[in-house]
Amino acid sequence: MLSPSTSIVSGALALLLSCPLPSPVSSLSVTVFGGSGFVGSRACKLLVGKGADVASVSKSGAAPGWCRDEEWAKKVEWKKADLLSADGAALDEVVGSPDAVVSCVGAIGTDPDVLLNGNGNANVAAFESAKRGGKLQRAAYVSVGSEVDACKENWLPEFFKSYFEGKIIAEKAAVDAVGGDASKLCVVKPTFVYGGTEFGLLPPRVTYEYGAGVEELLMLPPFRFLADVTPGLIKVALRPPVCADSVAAACARAALDESGAELPTLDGTDAINKYSGQPKSTGLTDALEWARERGVEFYDWAKVEVPKAIDAVQSKADELKK
């Protein structure tokens, strides 16, 4: 016969076992606007690697060529939408109700309207839709470095002011999307972003190998000093560029940060690399090491092959004398 205490325990255990088990905690849902692009696709990759449910919203609605066949890309929901032409209801259906968003949407060119719409109004539409989803907790937005912005008055063509106006509009929309609380927004402000395997003009791009070498070079104290004392675009040109992977990592970290701490504004390569945990660039060192190794290989080859060539020439010359 069971004792009263044993009966109580057995009854409690039976009641517990009869209750449905709680569903596992779902991962955060993150929507990346411009997720098919240069930085956005890399943000998608990092977010998937952290276990987030990731959706990309872009004009193409497809993974870019560099990652189309990678396993992580199959875990992203690639959605198609034109942020400037889609009506609110249609856009809301695509965007859904994400917990966090990352916007890498931007435009470059010479048409002021294109610059204002591509950098400003497109982002306004994106952030407003995410806000209407009702679950938005955090946002990250890729803007432009303050030292680049400072060049708009005297160093850049008049039409380029629309580019900066668009960025300002986008930043305001991002703050509004998170309830007006700027501590829930991470603004990433690079100067020049490099990466990938191809050079480009519009937008300007250099490869990872080339950009990493320039970054390490411009991190050296003499170049830092020159950048500090020179004005305008000369200053910007002497600042180290930042890798697209680092910008993407900063966005991903901010989107997934559930600590409640204030999200930072990351202005320039140093701040972006520190926050993203990007290791120190070794592109220049790697290039020099590669050149050294090739030099050693050439020397080793020359030690063997040059004497052979000399002997062959001498032998031929001896034959001609006969």
Side-chain angles (χ1 to χ4, degrees), residues 4-239:
S5 59
T6 303
S7 298
I8 292 173
V9 171
S10 299
L13 181 59
L15 179 62
L16 180 62
L17 292 175
S18 69
C19 296
L21 292 174
S23 59
V25 178
S26 61
S27 60
L28 291 173
S29 61
V30 184
T31 294
V32 181
F33 296 111
S36 297
F38 186 54
V39 173
S41 56
R42 289 163 171 80
C44 287
K45 177 180 181 178
L46 293 168
L47 288 164
V48 167
K50 294 293 185 180
D53 293 327
V54 183
S56 162
V57 176
S58 65
K59 278 187 177 181
S60 71
W66 75 268
C67 64
R68 192 164 295 145
D69 297 325
E70 295 191 15
E71 283 301 313
W72 68 264
K74 299 174 184 176
K75 299 178 181 179
V76 176
E77 190 174 2
W78 302 97
K79 300 181 177 183
K80 183 177 182 178
D82 187 329
L83 296 172
L84 291 173
S85 63
D87 63 51
L91 188 56
D92 290 352
E93 186 175 349
V94 173
V95 174
S97 301
D99 298 306
V101 294
V102 172
S103 179
C104 305
V105 172
I108 198 73
T110 59
D111 186 326
D113 291 336
V114 170
L115 293 174
L116 184 62
N117 287 324
N119 293 289
N121 296 330
N123 277 298
V124 171
F127 284 119
E128 286 182 348
S129 180
K131 180 182 180 181
R132 289 193 294 269
K135 291 174 56 183
L136 193 63
Q137 302 170 33
R138 288 173 301 282
Y141 169 57
V142 180
S143 187
V144 62
S146 61
E147 290 183 338
V148 180
D149 182 77
C151 297
K152 64 187 175 187
E153 294 300 332
N154 300 311
W155 291 81
L156 292 169
E158 186 71 18
F159 69 79
F160 222 76
K161 288 184 179 180
S162 296
Y163 172 87
F164 298 103
E165 290 172 11
K167 293 292 187 182
I168 292 171
I169 291 171
E171 288 183 25
K172 290 180 179 178
V175 173
D176 181 68
V178 289
D181 186 352
S183 71
K184 296 179 180 179
L185 170 66
C186 176
V187 183
V188 185
K189 296 187 169 189
T191 52
F192 184 85
V193 182
Y194 69 87
T197 58
E198 297 179 352
F199 289 88
L201 184 59
L202 284 176
R205 291 280 183 264
V206 299
T207 64
Y208 176 81
E209 289 77 11
Y210 184 90
V214 174
E215 180 182 355
E216 185 180 3
L217 177 67
L218 295 183
M219 285 285 189
L220 297 175
F223 290 99
R224 284 187 177 275
F225 173 77
L226 285 173
D228 288 340
V229 299
T230 51
L233 284 178
I234 302 173
K235 177 188 294 291
V236 172
L238 289 171
R239 292 298 187 201

